[in-house]
Amino acid sequence: MCAKKTPSMGTTGSVYSHVTRSTSNLKSTRSMRSLKIPWYRRPLVQDAYILDIQRGALVAGIYSLVLSIFTVVTGVFDIYSLAMAAPGSTHFGYYFISYQFVYVGNKHVRNTLILFAMFSVLSALTVLVSSIMLIIALRKEYEKKMIPWLYCFAIFTIIRVLGWLFFAIVNDLIFAYNILMVFLWALFCVANVYSWIVVYSLFLELADLTKLEDLAHLRLSTMASLAASTNPSLAGSRPTTPYSTVYTIPTSI
């Protein structure tokens, strides 16, 4: 008997068309769904006015670092002033400032002012550490390292807004220190909210890019696995494979 005729290599096109068809179905069913972003996961701003969002986030990180140091200094000073001007306390010696601007009324109000100053100092220390982490994360575009700053700065901003309102209500705004602190923290609170929005928007953009990269890696690995699973079936069904010229089944004469 004569040997069976070897199929032509032109039929190998069906192999690649089968793989292409499978991957195209995968793309149509998964990629469109994965690219839909909920409204609460969309960036709040696209740029920072005169700066792009990346540089705006870096400026926000430097700003929060400087602000945390300023808050620690002023918070410690407020605690010291409230302690020195406590009703019934006796002082000896000379002092470089007058404590007339310090609240000396109801003890519960004084204790609340001290409590706000203490929480401000503690939250500012966490912002100081997280701001350093944020600056490093922005240089490497590593969004997960930005999460501590988002939490710490949000809590810090809430504490400072409440502290600013309470400070402005109970203190006499006839003294220069009290007027200056109320004015500065009014500006700082607005800047804090905007800085948080800029960094959060950049965080969402980087997180979306990471998801797209993971999806691309998943597609590549899926295509590789499909190609690998197709090769054994071809070797068993053909006397020759598209990848070699070695006969895989015996021939009878």
Side-chain angles (χ1 to χ4, degrees):
M1 296 178 65
C2 297
K4 294 181 180 180
K5 185 178 179 181
T6 303
S8 62
M9 298 298 292
T11 58
T12 58
S14 60
V15 177
Y16 300 102
S17 63
H18 172 72
V19 176
T20 304
R21 186 164 53 250
S22 301
T23 55
S24 62
N25 292 336
L26 178 65
K27 180 179 180 180
S28 61
T29 56
R30 289 186 61 89
S31 61
M32 293 300 101
R33 295 178 183 177
S34 60
L35 290 178
K36 291 182 180 179
I37 303 175
W39 63 269
Y40 56 87
R41 294 285 300 174
R42 296 175 184 173
L44 301 177
V45 294
Q46 300 297 329
D47 54 31
Y49 291 105
I50 60 175
L51 300 174
D52 55 42
I53 193 169
Q54 290 85 0
R55 294 182 180 178
L58 181 60
V59 171
I62 298 174
Y63 160 76
S64 64
L65 179 65
V66 176
L67 181 63
S68 63
I69 298 174
F70 174 81
T71 305
V72 170
V73 173
T74 55
V76 171
F77 175 75
D78 288 341
I79 296 173
Y80 170 79
S81 299
L82 289 168
M84 293 295 291
S89 59
T90 303
H91 307 291
F92 299 94
Y94 298 95
Y95 301 96
F96 64 97
I97 60 173
S98 173
Y99 296 99
Q100 294 180 356
F101 65 92
V102 182
Y103 180 85
V104 292
N106 187 280
K107 65 177 182 179
H108 300 294
V109 175
R110 286 188 66 260
N111 293 335
T112 304
L113 286 171
I114 295 175
L115 188 64
F116 270 119
M118 293 177 60
F119 276 116
S120 297
V121 172
L122 294 177
S123 60
L125 291 176
T126 61
V127 170
L128 177 64
V129 177
S130 60
S131 297
I132 298 174
M133 296 175 59
L134 174 65
I135 295 173
I136 298 174
L138 290 174
R139 297 184 61 183
K140 298 182 179 180
E141 294 187 352
Y142 189 40
E143 71 275 4
K144 291 184 179 180
K145 293 290 183 67
M146 300 166 62
I147 296 177
W149 184 90
L150 291 173
Y151 282 107
C152 293
F153 201 68
I155 296 173
F156 170 78
T157 301
I158 294 173
I159 293 175
R160 286 312 308 161
V161 168
L162 296 177
W164 168 71
L165 290 174
F166 191 75
F167 186 92
I169 293 172
V170 302
N171 283 285
D172 294 329
L173 298 182
I174 60 175
F175 299 101
Y177 177 79
N178 294 338
I179 296 174
L180 182 62
M181 287 297 103
V182 171
F183 175 74
L184 288 179
W185 277 109
L187 298 178
F188 291 155
C189 290
V190 175
N192 289 355
V193 174
Y194 183 72
S195 299
W196 190 91
I197 290 175
V198 170
V199 176
Y200 181 67
S201 299
L202 179 61
F203 168 77
L204 292 180
E205 288 190 2
L206 294 179
D208 291 338
L209 289 177
T210 301
K211 291 180 180 179
L212 291 177
E213 291 176 356
D214 294 339
L215 182 59
H217 290 308
L218 177 61
R219 289 176 181 172
L220 291 177
S221 61
T222 304
M223 293 176 63
S225 62
L226 287 175
S229 62
T230 306
N231 291 340
S233 62
L234 295 175
S237 61
R238 291 175 176 269
T240 59
T241 65
Y243 310 104
S244 64
T245 58
V246 180
Y247 285 91
T248 58
I249 60 175
T251 59
S252 59
I253 300 176

